[in-house]
Structure formats: structure tokens, C-alpha cells
Amino acid sequence: MTNLTNLTRLQIAEQGAGSLNFLALLRWALVAIFLWFGGMKFTAYEAAGIAPFIEHSPIMSWLHTLFGIQGASYVIGVLELSTAAALILGAFQPIFSALGAAMSAATYLITLTFFLSTPGVAEATAGGFPAISAAPGQFLLKDLVLLAASLSLLLASVQGPWLNVQKS
């Protein structure tokens, strides 16, 4: 365990091995998304919009029970704004680079589970799955790209023996 800890090093994703400056585009795009979506969670419009996703989610439905529809939206908003803050700080501090990217990845892993739990994802008139509806199906599918961006930042933030990269 100690050897793995000694071999693992946190870094700012954009300052990792090789030329990773392009990762700044991913970081700041994710920051914009989390700031915007997180801020929207404090509106009744957004709380109503995400309610069906939360209601049918085996992972998140407890939020409605505990906090109600608007309260659940507030909790998610705080988490999303915290993710944005960690991503911003991650441009300057390695621990926050890894933390923000991990929080972002967790967010998109959870939202992709909505694909399995939210009614209306498969488009029945087009033959059912794999044909997906515009909403919520295609709306959720974009999270696959956001997950990839988050994982790219996370992997670049955590340098270890699993990354066979030479520093230039």
C-alpha cells in the first residue's frame, strides 16, 4: 500500500506529462456547465425539470423523501456548485484538480444511470431501445461525453504507475 501511495502523485491535469494544456478546455467547459446547472437548481423551474429523473432513480430517490422536490434540487445545486469550485481551484492546486474531476465523473456516472431508470428513454414508435427519445434519451446521452471529459481530467490529475507516460 505504501509503495502505491509513494508512486501516486497528484498534479494539475494541464501540467501533467507531455503537453496537456488542451485539458484546460475540458476543465473550463465543465466549470461553465456546473456553474450554470448548479445555479439553475435553485429555481422552481429546474427543480420540476429534474424531479422525474430523481423520482425514478434508485440511487437518488431518497432525496425527494428527505428534502422534497425543491430541497432535493437545492442539495444537488450545492453539490454542483461545489464541483465547479473544486474544478476552478484545481487549475491551481493538484488535490483540487483530482477532487473536482472525481466529483464531476461521479456526477455523470450517476446521471447515466437515469438512462436505465427514467421512463421514456426508449422511443417506442421507433421500435424501442436502442432507439432513444429526444427527451429524456438524447438529453441523457450527452453525459457520456461529459463523463469522458471528467475521466480525462481525473486520469491526468493522478499520475501513477498505471500511466505509462514519460515526462518531457
Side-chain angles (χ1 to χ4, degrees):
M1 181 74 166
T2 309
N3 284 341
L4 183 59
T5 305
N6 290 341
L7 294 173
T8 303
R9 189 171 60 96
L10 298 178
Q11 60 194 12
I12 296 169
E14 297 90 316
Q15 296 174 356
S19 178
L20 297 176
N21 291 334
F22 65 89
L23 289 176
L25 294 171
L26 297 181
R27 176 182 307 282
W28 296 106
L30 288 169
V31 166
I33 288 167
F34 279 106
L35 285 175
W36 204 321
F37 285 10
M40 287 294 295
K41 297 299 186 287
F42 293 90
T43 68
Y45 169 82
E46 181 72 5
I50 65 170
F53 297 108
I54 296 170
E55 176 184 345
H56 293 100
S57 169
I59 297 171
M60 298 186 69
S61 59
W62 62 273
L63 286 170
H64 277 179
T65 305
L66 199 57
F67 300 108
I69 291 174
Q70 187 64 58
S73 190
Y74 290 157
V75 169
I76 294 167
V78 167
L79 290 171
E80 289 179 342
L81 292 173
S82 297
T83 302
L87 287 165
I88 291 167
L89 291 172
F92 309 101
Q93 291 292 320
I95 186 71
F96 290 107
S97 187
L99 177 64
M103 291 171 70
S104 182
T107 296
Y108 295 116
L109 281 170
I110 290 170
T111 61
L112 282 170
T113 68
F114 296 164
F115 221 89
L116 304 172
S117 62
T118 304
V121 169
E123 182 52 56
T125 61
F129 191 82
I132 57 174
S133 60
Q138 293 176 27
F139 169 77
L140 292 172
L141 191 59
K142 59 125 175 62
D143 287 355
L144 192 57
V145 173
L146 295 169
L147 174 61
S150 303
L151 290 174
S152 295
L153 276 178
L154 181 57
L155 289 174
S157 296
V158 181
Q159 183 180 6
W162 55 87
L163 291 177
N164 194 11
V165 183
Q166 298 285 331
K167 192 146 182 127
S168 30

